[in-house]
Every structure is written in structure tokens, then in C-alpha cells.
Amino acid sequence: MIKVLLFAHLQEQIGSSHITIKESFSNVKEIKEYLINKYNLPHLNGVMVAKNEEYAFDDTKVNSGDVIAFIPPVSGG
Amino acid sequence: MKRYEIIDGPIDTGEVIKKVVCNEAGAITTFIGTVREWTKGKRTLYLEYQAYISMAEKKLKQIGDEVESRWPGVKVAITHRIGRLEISDIAVVIAVSSPHRKVAYEANQFIIERIKEIVPIWKKEHWENGELWIGDQLEITPLVVEGEEKR
């Protein structure tokens, strides 16, 4: 089970701040593709990803229990 | 005392400064980021900030650690506010103390630039005729573009 966190416009597009996915995935790229298809989020490819609060890459391995967050371009300050 | 904080109420600038006061310091610089009404001819009504709070506090600490190892003797405290902010409200306060003033200025400027790069905080502009999540202030978002090679 993977917990996915969404922020900013992604949160509004999906209509929720987080989703739980029961399927298993081997890496970040697979989760991205799953979400792109399921929720019609074509621009998700340009968005950074964090695994358990650290920035991750497409080939970062994912295990059950991990928290994956999609990080759109930040605009703090 | 948390030196790196995301809070959802007004920031007390004095409290942030207090966190970096120490006997070794000869200078303290403070950066205060406030909500601007006009941006390129467009009038902002109010802003809304959102954060991935736990990760954002970690990244603020990472920036503080980077600064404290790059400029030894420097002490850092950062507080960022989230939620709805009105015009002139304080969004972020960065306090840096240092034995000497030059480093206190340099380190403080470095920190605000780093915040705009790596800290998961987002700003939504609300205008009279619309709203938008703002991103990519530095225009450095890593976008993988499969472009054709031009000859």
C-alpha cells in the first residue's frame, strides 16, 4: 500500500490531499504513470517527487508503506 | 525552541530574532518577506500558502545546516507562515546571526534563494478576476524535454 500526497493545483485537480493505492509498484516512475492514466494528469512528468520526505527520482525504488509526495514547482518565500 | 518552523498564524519577528541571539554574534540580519499588492500591474487581493509541513521544516533545517557549515559561526532561524495572508502580512522571517556583518547579509540572501528552490511551500494568488497557484519563481524546474537536435 502506498500513500500519495498531493499539493497545490494537483490537490485541486484530483479533489483530495491524499490517496491510498493498493497496487504495488517497483519505482516512482510506475506510480507516476498510474496516476497520469487514472486521473488524467499529463503534466505530472514535470513535477518533482519526494519519497518519505526526501526528493526522489523516477528510478527510486518504492515499497509498501512508503509515502510518495508530488511536489509542483515551489513558490514559498 | 524550534529554529525551523511552519506556522499558520502571524509571525512574531522578535521571537525569530531571539532564537539566533548569542554571545559570539556581532551582527544579526533579518529578512522579512511580505505580501505585495501589485505585481506587474495586477492587483492581489490576498494570498494563500500551503506546505508539506513535515518535509518543509526538514528542508528549512537542511538549508540552515548548509549555511552553518559554509559560514562557521553563523546561527540561523526561519519561520514561514501558511494559510490565508492579507496584503502586507509577513509570510517569512529569516534571522541570521554572525560574528561579522558581511556574512550575516550573505547568508541571509542565500537562504531566501534556497527556500525558493527546495522547500515544499506553494503560494496561490487571488486576484479580482481569478486565482492561480504560482510556481517556478526561479524558472529552474527540471523539465525533461525530448527535443529534436537541430543541425
Side-chain angles (χ1 to χ4, degrees), chain A residues 2-3 5 14 16-17 21 26-27 29 35 39 41-42 44-45 47-50 52 54 61 69 73 77:
Chain A
I2 306 283
K3 190 174 182 188
L5 304 180
I14 292 188
S16 176
S17 62
I21 308 176
S26 57
N27 59 31
K29 192 175 183 358
L35 292 171
Y39 295 97
L41 300 168
L44 208 55
N45 275 320
V47 167
M48 288 199 284
V49 179
N52 303 332
E54 270 309 323
K61 296 216 173 340

Side-chain angles (χ1 to χ4, degrees), chain B residues 53-121:
Chain B
I53 296 174
S54 54
M55 181 174 170
E57 288 185 342
K58 258 191 184 174
K59 290 288 143 190
L60 290 177
K61 181 179 185 303
Q62 180 189 318
I63 294 171
D65 290 347
E66 281 173 19
V67 164
E68 289 174 3
S69 66
R70 179 165 162 185
W71 290 284
V74 160
K75 209 169 165 191
V76 177
I78 310 167
T79 301
H80 202 299
R81 181 176 176 183
I82 54 171
R84 177 176 166 145
L85 274 74
E86 309 298 330
I87 305 304
S88 295
D89 276 353
I90 296 173
V92 62
V93 174
I94 303 168
V96 175
S97 71
S98 157
H100 302 286
R101 67 182 178 280
K102 188 163 183 274
V103 163
Y105 278 117
E106 278 174 14
N108 205 312
Q109 185 170 15
F110 174 86
I111 291 166
I112 188 66
E113 303 302 334
R114 284 293 275 160
I115 287 174
K116 290 173 185 292
E117 282 173 3
I118 66 164
V119 181
I121 299 174

